[in-house]
PDB file of all heavy atoms in Angstrom:
ATOM      1  N   GLU A 144      40.860  45.129 -19.182  1.00 98.00           N
ATOM      2  CA  GLU A 144      40.947  45.612 -20.559  1.00 98.00           C
ATOM      3  C   GLU A 144      42.032  44.924 -21.263  1.00 98.00           C
ATOM      4  O   GLU A 144      43.067  44.561 -20.713  1.00 98.00           O
ATOM      5  CB  GLU A 144      41.285  47.124 -20.564  1.00 98.00           C
ATOM      6  CG  GLU A 144      40.260  48.048 -20.014  1.00 98.00           C
ATOM      7  CD  GLU A 144      40.720  49.488 -19.958  1.00 98.00           C
ATOM      8  OE1 GLU A 144      41.771  49.852 -20.369  1.00 98.00           O
ATOM      9  OE2 GLU A 144      39.908  50.333 -19.428  1.00 98.00           O
ATOM     10  N   GLU A 146      44.609  45.076 -24.398  1.00 98.00           N
ATOM     11  CA  GLU A 146      45.244  45.723 -25.570  1.00 98.00           C
ATOM     12  C   GLU A 146      46.219  44.693 -26.230  1.00 98.00           C
ATOM     13  O   GLU A 146      46.777  43.891 -25.567  1.00 98.00           O
ATOM     14  CB  GLU A 146      46.116  46.873 -25.059  1.00 98.00           C
ATOM     15  CG  GLU A 146      45.240  48.090 -24.449  1.00 98.00           C
ATOM     16  CD  GLU A 146      46.142  49.227 -24.040  1.00 98.00           C
ATOM     17  OE1 GLU A 146      47.394  49.115 -23.862  1.00 98.00           O
ATOM     18  OE2 GLU A 146      45.509  50.361 -23.959  1.00 98.00           O
ATOM     19  N   ILE A 208      38.411  49.588 -29.656  1.00 98.00           N
ATOM     20  CA  ILE A 208      39.166  50.955 -29.904  1.00 98.00           C
ATOM     21  C   ILE A 208      40.362  50.595 -30.748  1.00 98.00           C
ATOM     22  O   ILE A 208      41.113  49.657 -30.465  1.00 98.00           O
ATOM     23  CB  ILE A 208      39.617  51.542 -28.616  1.00 98.00           C
ATOM     24  CG1 ILE A 208      38.492  51.688 -27.551  1.00 98.00           C
ATOM     25  CG2 ILE A 208      40.283  52.903 -28.887  1.00 98.00           C
ATOM     26  CD1 ILE A 208      39.022  52.019 -26.172  1.00 98.00           C
ATOM     27  N   GLU A 210      43.854  51.597 -30.979  1.00 97.00           N
ATOM     28  CA  GLU A 210      44.717  52.211 -29.913  1.00 97.00           C
ATOM     29  C   GLU A 210      45.787  53.067 -30.447  1.00 97.00           C
ATOM     30  O   GLU A 210      45.846  53.334 -31.684  1.00 97.00           O
ATOM     31  CB  GLU A 210      45.258  51.127 -28.975  1.00 97.00           C
ATOM     32  CG  GLU A 210      44.579  51.023 -27.670  1.00 97.00           C
ATOM     33  CD  GLU A 210      44.840  52.186 -26.710  1.00 97.00           C
ATOM     34  OE1 GLU A 210      45.600  53.039 -27.005  1.00 97.00           O
ATOM     35  OE2 GLU A 210      44.180  52.237 -25.601  1.00 97.00           O
ATOM     36  N   GLU A 217      42.203  47.663 -28.790  1.00 98.00           N
ATOM     37  CA  GLU A 217      41.790  47.381 -27.409  1.00 98.00           C
ATOM     38  C   GLU A 217      40.358  46.870 -27.445  1.00 98.00           C
ATOM     39  O   GLU A 217      39.529  47.392 -28.122  1.00 98.00           O
ATOM     40  CB  GLU A 217      41.855  48.614 -26.590  1.00 98.00           C
ATOM     41  CG  GLU A 217      41.372  48.413 -25.131  1.00 98.00           C
ATOM     42  CD  GLU A 217      41.401  49.645 -24.297  1.00 98.00           C
ATOM     43  OE1 GLU A 217      42.444  50.295 -24.252  1.00 98.00           O
ATOM     44  OE2 GLU A 217      40.363  49.991 -23.665  1.00 98.00           O
ATOM     45  N   HIS A 267      44.837  46.710 -18.202  1.00 98.00           N
ATOM     46  CA  HIS A 267      44.330  47.488 -17.010  1.00 98.00           C
ATOM     47  C   HIS A 267      43.183  46.766 -16.304  1.00 98.00           C
ATOM     48  O   HIS A 267      42.335  46.079 -16.966  1.00 98.00           O
ATOM     49  CB  HIS A 267      43.898  48.834 -17.463  1.00 98.00           C
ATOM     50  CG  HIS A 267      44.896  49.642 -18.239  1.00 98.00           C
ATOM     51  ND1 HIS A 267      44.661  50.843 -18.860  1.00 98.00           N
ATOM     52  CD2 HIS A 267      46.311  49.401 -18.413  1.00 98.00           C
ATOM     53  CE1 HIS A 267      45.760  51.243 -19.429  1.00 98.00           C
ATOM     54  NE2 HIS A 267      46.728  50.391 -19.193  1.00 98.00           N
ATOM     55  N   ARG A 341      45.656  60.013 -16.936  1.00 88.00           N
ATOM     56  CA  ARG A 341      46.356  58.805 -17.375  1.00 88.00           C
ATOM     57  C   ARG A 341      47.854  58.757 -17.145  1.00 88.00           C
ATOM     58  O   ARG A 341      48.495  57.860 -17.483  1.00 88.00           O
ATOM     59  CB  ARG A 341      45.973  58.542 -18.866  1.00 88.00           C
ATOM     60  CG  ARG A 341      44.608  58.107 -19.078  1.00 88.00           C
ATOM     61  CD  ARG A 341      44.376  57.615 -20.530  1.00 88.00           C
ATOM     62  NE  ARG A 341      43.007  57.061 -20.664  1.00 88.00           N
ATOM     63  CZ  ARG A 341      41.954  57.761 -20.791  1.00 88.00           C
ATOM     64  NH1 ARG A 341      41.942  59.065 -20.675  1.00 88.00           N
ATOM     65  NH2 ARG A 341      40.735  57.173 -20.848  1.00 88.00           N
ATOM     66  N   GLU A 358      41.368  52.227 -11.407  1.00 98.00           N
ATOM     67  CA  GLU A 358      41.886  51.491 -12.602  1.00 98.00           C
ATOM     68  C   GLU A 358      43.389  51.340 -12.346  1.00 98.00           C
ATOM     69  O   GLU A 358      44.181  52.307 -12.320  1.00 98.00           O
ATOM     70  CB  GLU A 358      41.704  52.431 -13.870  1.00 98.00           C
ATOM     71  CG  GLU A 358      42.286  51.704 -15.148  1.00 98.00           C
ATOM     72  CD  GLU A 358      42.330  52.721 -16.321  1.00 98.00           C
ATOM     73  OE1 GLU A 358      42.523  53.888 -16.146  1.00 98.00           O
ATOM     74  OE2 GLU A 358      42.314  52.186 -17.488  1.00 98.00           O
ATOM     75  N   ARG A 360      46.751  50.496 -13.724  1.00 98.00           N
ATOM     76  CA  ARG A 360      47.254  50.602 -15.023  1.00 98.00           C
ATOM     77  C   ARG A 360      48.630  49.952 -15.285  1.00 98.00           C
ATOM     78  O   ARG A 360      49.252  50.190 -16.311  1.00 98.00           O
ATOM     79  CB  ARG A 360      47.282  52.072 -15.547  1.00 98.00           C
ATOM     80  CG  ARG A 360      45.964  52.706 -15.434  1.00 98.00           C
ATOM     81  CD  ARG A 360      46.006  54.256 -15.708  1.00 98.00           C
ATOM     82  NE  ARG A 360      46.708  54.549 -16.879  1.00 98.00           N
ATOM     83  CZ  ARG A 360      46.228  54.608 -18.111  1.00 98.00           C
ATOM     84  NH1 ARG A 360      44.949  54.335 -18.349  1.00 98.00           N
ATOM     85  NH2 ARG A 360      46.932  54.985 -19.201  1.00 98.00           N
TER      86      ARG A 360
HETATM   87 MG1  LIG B 502      43.886  51.470 -23.792  1.00 66.69          MG
END
Side-chain angles (χ1 to χ4, degrees):
E144 293 175 2
E146 293 183 340
I208 307 166
E210 256 291 354
E217 174 181 311
H267 304 173
R341 287 189 174 79
E358 180 193 27
R360 297 172 54 82

